[in-house]
Amino acid sequence: MNNFLLIFKTQLLAVVNTGKNARRNKKQKAMSLTGYALIWLLLAALAAFYEFIYGAAFAESGMMEAFPVLIVVAASLLTLIGSISYTKSLIFCSKDHDMLFALPVRGSTIVAAKIATLYVLDFIVSFALLLPCGILYGYFAAPPVLFYVRYYVLTLFVPMLPILAAALISALVSLVASRFRHARIVGTVLYIGIFLAFMLGIMSMSSSSEDELAELFSGMVKILNACYPPAAWFTEGIFGDVPMFLLFIGVSAISFAVIALIFGKFYGKIHGAFSVRAVRSKYKMSAASGGAVSALVKKDIKRFFSSPGLMLNQVAGLIMIVVFMVVFLSGGIADSGEEGAQAAKLLSVMFPYLFAMGASMASLTSTSISLEGKTFGLLRSLPVSARTVLSAKLRVHELICFPVVLICSVVMAVLSKSAPVDAVLLIALPLIYSYNAGVLGLLMNLKRYNFDWTSEVMVAKNSMPVMVVTFGGMAASLIPGIVVLFLSIGGISTAITGGVMLVLSLAVSVGLTVLLRSRGEKMFEEIGA
Amino acid sequence: MLHYGRFCCACRVTSKEMNILLEFRNFSKTYKGGKRAVDNLCLNIEAGDIYGFIGHNGAGKTTSLKAACGILDFTEGEILIDGISVKEDPVAAKKITAYVPDNPDLYEFMTGIQYLNFIGDIFGVAADARNARIEKYAAMFELSGDLGAPVSSYSHGMKQKLAIISALLHAPRLLVLDEPFVGLDPKASHLLKQVFAEMCGAGAAIFFSTHVLEVAQKLCNKIAIIKNGKLLVSGRTEDIVGDSSLEDVFLELVDAKGGDADE
């Protein structure tokens, strides 16, 4: 086996076979794998649900050929945003850096193996979007069999360019940030700026004022193709244009090789930029703080802000809430003619559930135990109880998530002139969901912790706790939201459905809190036993 | 008094009465999967002791030290710190203890001073005492100029020094260290030995593991040797070593005695 394959295999094993998983027997590993497969299926099913709605609309307007463009761009964006968050920790600053670079292997080989690992992880996620798209296209357009061959061959190459773009953006941001004294803060601001720009760009595209659906879709495809030309190559490739088919594969594969070579050649410089730290020779002695919980909270907040990539991933749900609020209130949806006003009215029924979805997708606690890593022993040696440690971790989640959720909900309620009952639901429901995501994340992370990571990506991107909380939160908010929407169309008051949802979610909060106080604290004590 | 091989912990005099700061009472630890790392360990560390814990790799030293500091859970036996059960009241026991691990995995996202303040906050050390101790020990270990730098930029030895300073911040009554001299420069090692002597003079106790037998022989007033989880011998250093050297005694003991925990 050559060096690339050896390192690639090791990197993959490090991702899937760390922490408790490494010590499990075959049956437990099989069950764990089944769990991951079920979560992937849930994600694919959710994607299929939304894609079916979009697919039906495209089919109705006779624009079915444009449907794959939309999904490919969505999958590429998902890959790009996800990869920006993790390029640093997986490729440039992983903990096995020194060990790997001490081996008699070329730098470009190591970088290529790491990019390939990122590719596999991203492909698994993007395929959850791309797989149903191919099937749905077949359902609505009944293409020849060759279409499927071309489509699924090209899906293999879809994540490549976004990953490379993410690696380039990440490297550039770090090189720019390294020139500043407070490199981390500058890096964080740049990352969030890029993320917001993407999100606002996409949301504003969907607020086109075109009246006719077909024109709307046609305009959307033009914009998407202009923004991301490979999407056009992909589309033409799957419909039988051989040069475009080869162009998409060639550009993806060649870029991959070239970027791996460039990164391998300049790895030292890039790694140095990523590793930059502001060193202060002077420091101030601080007065004693407000006790153990306060010290632990401050410690975890420092940890949170120390890694821009990780932070961006963890607050993505909160950014979604902000972007959604800004786009809606700036008139993007409500001012889109009569249909827009109608859509806005329906959407207002969904506000609490959409905000709850964003809130429940931001669970800082689902990684907070694993992120202790090798320092967990230090935490255990401190004279603090399990309850104190867990309370501090939950408080960090609340301190970061609650203000954003609360401010957005209040602003939305006031500016959208919600009725008092709707305003209560809009403010209370996302907050309760955010609390539940915090407690559930903590419980899940106590159950499935991983201290053996060599990169934060292992705990933040591919861990069971993160996936369970994220997708569980999405399902727990969107499914009731859709039910409430249909009930409201059927004439049932949102006050009644909202009241029921508040009671149910509060009951879940009580149950989760009791579970954390009893089972959670015991699990904490048992870690490492 | 010299103890060879297994001896029971039948003594019913309380730890407080005997001025015992750390007491292992029939302590055993079996890891999930069945490996018995420590088997029926009985050991008393009294105030003023500098107690060396010696054994081959995998003998059960780190397991015992971690269990004593409340890092590792255990079900068999009892560990008392100044009469406080580690199992029943771990927080109270930890408040008078400090632990320095063999591999100082500290919070790399903090600066040195932030880390020390974090530890000071957790142990509730008053600002005046905290600042005085930080200044004293940072100057002693020549780390003052680096406290403003992130821990991630520290060398292994600097991290070790920072871990030691943080362990001394709350003036612990019991200091537990796992291979404390590994990674320290000769001057820092010398200073650490001075700190040990100072602390013991003030009524504290030091319990540490080491593979450096010369250091143990010169520094420790008491020594325990463990093999495969079982205590082979413990007692005053001069009683154990006699006219020989600790190295000879250690090799003789580990080669001659079975003491396999798995037997």
Side-chain angles (χ1 to χ4, degrees):
Chain A
M1 204 184 287
N2 67 28
N3 288 333
F4 170 81
L5 287 177
L6 268 173
I7 295 171
F8 175 53
K9 187 183 152 193
T10 315
Q11 295 291 308
L12 273 183
L13 281 174
V15 173
V16 298
N17 208 22
T18 53
K20 266 186 158 182
N21 215 25
R23 294 181 283 277
R24 289 199 156 97
N25 60 33
K26 274 186 181 173
K27 193 181 167 190
Q28 287 169 323
K29 279 184 181 173
M31 281 177 68
S32 168
L33 210 61
T34 312
Y36 279 112
L38 285 174
I39 288 174
W40 186 86
L41 281 173
L42 176 70
L43 176 63
L46 271 173
F49 173 72
Y50 290 113
E51 286 175 21
F52 182 83
I53 295 170
Y54 273 96
F58 273 90
E60 194 183 326
S61 61
M63 289 285 295
M64 202 55 203
E65 285 74 22
F67 174 59
V69 184
L70 181 70
I71 305 304
V72 164
V73 172
S76 302
L77 262 175
L78 188 72
T79 308
L80 180 72
I81 291 166
S83 302
I84 285 178
S85 318
Y86 295 110
T87 308
K88 180 184 173 185
S89 62
L90 192 74
I91 299 178
F92 297 112
C93 282
S94 65
K95 286 193 172 177
D96 57 0
H97 167 270
D98 292 357
M99 192 259 294
L100 286 174
F101 276 81
L103 298 173
V105 180
R106 294 161 70 95
S108 56
T109 307
I110 297 171
V111 175
K114 282 181 172 284
I115 294 178
T117 309
L118 193 58
Y119 163 78
V120 171
L121 302 177
D122 280 326
F123 177 75
I124 292 170
V125 177
S126 65
F127 196 58
L129 263 68
L130 294 167
L131 174 71
C133 171
I135 297 169
L136 287 168
Y137 184 84
Y139 174 75
F140 286 114
V145 178
L146 208 57
F147 164 83
Y148 296 100
V149 177
R150 289 191 294 257
Y151 177 83
Y152 286 109
V153 166
L154 284 190
T155 56
L156 289 169
F157 296 86
V158 168
M160 278 187 176
L161 288 172
I163 286 172
L164 298 176
L168 278 173
I169 291 171
S170 204
L172 284 173
V173 165
S174 292
L175 285 170
V176 171
S178 68
R179 295 180 177 275
F180 294 86
R181 180 177 164 82
H182 297 289
R184 278 184 188 157
I185 298 171
V186 174
T188 305
V189 170
L190 286 173
Y191 277 126
I192 291 181
I194 291 168
F195 190 80
L196 276 172
F198 274 130
M199 296 282 278
L200 285 169
I202 292 300
M203 298 284 276
S204 63
M205 272 182 204
S206 63
S207 63
S208 162
S209 58
E210 303 281 353
D211 286 337
E212 292 297 319
L213 208 56
E215 282 179 37
L216 176 75
F217 286 153
S218 155
M220 188 194 290
V221 168
K222 273 183 199 159
I223 293 168
L224 292 176
N225 284 338
C227 289
Y228 187 56
W233 309 339
F234 178 90
T235 315
E236 287 171 36
I238 58 173
F239 292 124
D241 189 330
V242 177
M244 288 299 171
F245 180 86
L246 294 175
L247 184 65
F248 186 76
I249 292 176
V251 168
S252 302
I254 292 168
S255 309
F256 183 88
V258 169
I259 294 289
L261 278 172
I262 293 172
F263 277 163
K265 193 165 174 60
F266 298 103
Y267 190 84
K269 195 166 185 178
I270 300 168
H271 176 68
F274 272 110
S275 313
V276 74
R277 300 277 191 277
V279 178
R280 284 175 288 177
S281 56
K282 287 183 182 172
Y283 55 86
K284 272 197 299 187
M285 295 285 195
S286 80
S289 78
V293 175
S294 160
L296 288 167
V297 167
K298 270 162 63 181
K299 186 261 296 179
D300 273 359
I301 286 180
K302 263 186 210 306
R303 175 74 183 83
F304 175 75
F305 285 109
S306 71
S307 174
L310 185 74
M311 189 185 84
L312 193 65
N313 179 73
Q314 292 186 314
V315 300
L318 301 179
I319 295 176
M320 264 178 60
I321 295 179
V322 176
V323 170
F324 178 72
M325 183 193 73
V326 170
V327 170
F328 185 84
L329 293 177
S330 64
I333 297 168
D335 294 349
S336 305
E338 209 172 293
E339 278 181 24
Q342 190 75 15
K345 199 178 170 189
L346 286 176
L347 206 55
S348 67
V349 177
M350 290 283 283
F351 283 164
Y353 304 93
L354 290 172
F355 275 36
M357 180 179 77
S360 54
M361 284 169 71
S363 171
L364 274 61
T365 49
S366 56
T367 53
S368 61
I369 299 289
S370 296
L371 284 175
E372 290 289 340
K374 302 270 188 278
T375 57
F376 187 75
L378 170 61
L379 191 65
R380 282 292 287 270
S381 71
L382 299 175
V384 287
S385 64
R387 181 166 297 187
T388 308
V389 174
L390 299 183
S391 301
K393 293 206 175 290
L394 192 58
R395 197 167 296 176
V396 172
H397 167 85
E398 292 165 356
L399 279 171
I400 289 168
C401 296
F402 280 12
V404 179
V405 174
L406 187 65
I407 290 168
C408 288
S409 302
V410 170
V411 169
M412 193 75 168
V414 171
L415 295 184
S416 66
K417 296 176 184 122
S418 299
V421 176
D422 293 337
V424 168
L425 186 67
L426 180 57
I427 293 165
L429 198 69
L431 279 176
I432 298 170
Y433 266 67
S434 180
Y435 173 81
N436 289 351
V439 182
L440 180 65
L442 200 48
L443 278 166
M444 287 303 301
N445 202 196
L446 284 165
K447 178 88 181 147
R448 296 293 300 268
Y449 57 87
N450 170 15
F451 296 143
D452 302 332
W453 45 271
T454 52
S455 155
E456 289 156 351
V457 69
M458 294 175 187
V459 286
K461 197 172 186 182
N462 301 294
S463 70
M464 185 72 89
V466 172
M467 287 198 264
V468 167
V469 178
T470 305
F471 298 126
M474 279 170 75
S477 48
L478 280 180
I479 293 169
I482 291 165
V483 172
V484 166
L485 183 67
F486 280 113
L487 289 175
S488 107
I489 292 168
I492 294 176
S493 160
T494 49
I496 296 168
T497 49
V500 171
M501 275 308 295
L502 275 181
V503 172
L504 282 176
S505 50
L506 274 174
V508 172
S509 303
V510 172
L512 286 172
T513 307
V514 170
L515 204 59
L516 185 67
R517 288 277 170 101
S518 53
R519 186 83 192 103
E521 287 173 16
K522 202 164 168 241
M523 285 194 283
F524 181 85
E525 300 288 0
E526 285 170 354
I527 290 176
Chain B
M1 191 179 176
L2 183 62
H3 303 281
Y4 274 103
R6 287 181 187 170
F7 60 96
C8 76
C9 301
C11 184
R12 288 289 171 262
V13 183
T14 63
S15 298
K16 286 258 184 198
E17 285 169 61
M18 288 180 67
N19 213 8
I20 295 170
L21 278 180
L22 172 60
E23 181 180 3
F24 289 93
R25 274 190 198 165
N26 303 102
F27 163 69
S28 298
K29 171 68 189 176
T30 306
Y31 284 102
K32 280 177 183 168
K35 181 179 163 52
R36 197 163 178 82
V38 182
D39 187 18
N40 202 37
L41 177 68
C42 294
L43 205 59
N44 293 340
I45 288 95
E46 294 170 21
D49 277 348
I50 301 183
Y51 214 122
F53 200 31
I54 299 162
H56 59 87
N57 294 330
K61 302 187 296 294
T62 301
T63 299
S64 305
L65 299 185
K66 282 187 172 177
C69 297
I71 299 170
L72 205 59
D73 201 18
F74 61 96
T75 49
E76 291 176 68
E78 182 64 279
I79 300 176
L80 304 172
I81 291 179
D82 201 17
I84 303 164
S85 165
V86 171
K87 216 188 301 183
E88 278 160 28
D89 194 354
V91 173
K94 287 175 189 176
K95 277 196 170 155
I96 53 169
T97 312
Y99 173 65
V100 179
D102 55 343
N103 199 359
D105 288 310
L106 310 176
Y107 296 123
E108 302 213 335
F109 52 88
M110 290 181 174
T111 62
I113 191 71
Q114 284 170 344
Y115 178 72
L116 292 176
N117 277 318
F118 165 70
I119 296 292
D121 286 343
I122 291 283
F123 280 92
V125 184
D128 289 350
R130 179 192 307 192
N131 293 346
R133 284 177 197 145
I134 290 175
E135 276 171 12
K136 176 187 168 185
Y137 292 118
M140 181 187 274
F141 287 104
E142 297 176 338
L143 207 63
S144 304
D146 298 297
L147 287 183
V151 175
S152 54
S153 66
Y154 282 21
S155 68
H156 179 90
M158 287 162 80
K159 284 182 189 168
Q160 186 79 347
K161 286 177 183 177
L162 188 66
I164 291 167
I165 297 170
S166 71
L168 300 171
L169 263 191
H170 65 289
R173 294 210 62 206
L174 173 68
L175 182 56
V176 179
L177 308 97
D178 198 354
E179 300 284 353
F181 299 105
V182 173
L184 287 184
D185 57 58
K187 190 180 175 190
S189 295
H190 174 72
L191 289 167
L192 183 60
K193 289 172 204 165
Q194 274 186 5
V195 171
F196 283 3
E198 261 177 42
M199 287 179 70
C200 289
I206 317 287
F207 184 48
F208 72 100
S209 71
T210 184
H211 289 298
V212 190
L213 300 183
E214 292 84 358
V215 170
Q217 186 172 351
K218 281 185 191 161
L219 184 66
C220 303
N221 65 322
K222 287 179 187 167
I223 276 167
I225 299 177
I226 187 172
K227 181 188 176 188
N228 293 337
K230 289 181 178 170
L231 190 67
L232 295 183
V233 65
S234 67
R236 302 193 68 79
T237 310
E238 61 261 33
D239 295 338
I240 292 174
V241 175
D243 295 332
S244 183
S245 72
L246 183 57
E247 188 176 22
D248 291 338
V249 173
F250 176 75
L251 292 174
E252 194 183 319
L253 280 169
V254 295
D255 287 342
K257 296 217 173 189
D260 269 341
D262 299 332
E263 279 173 5

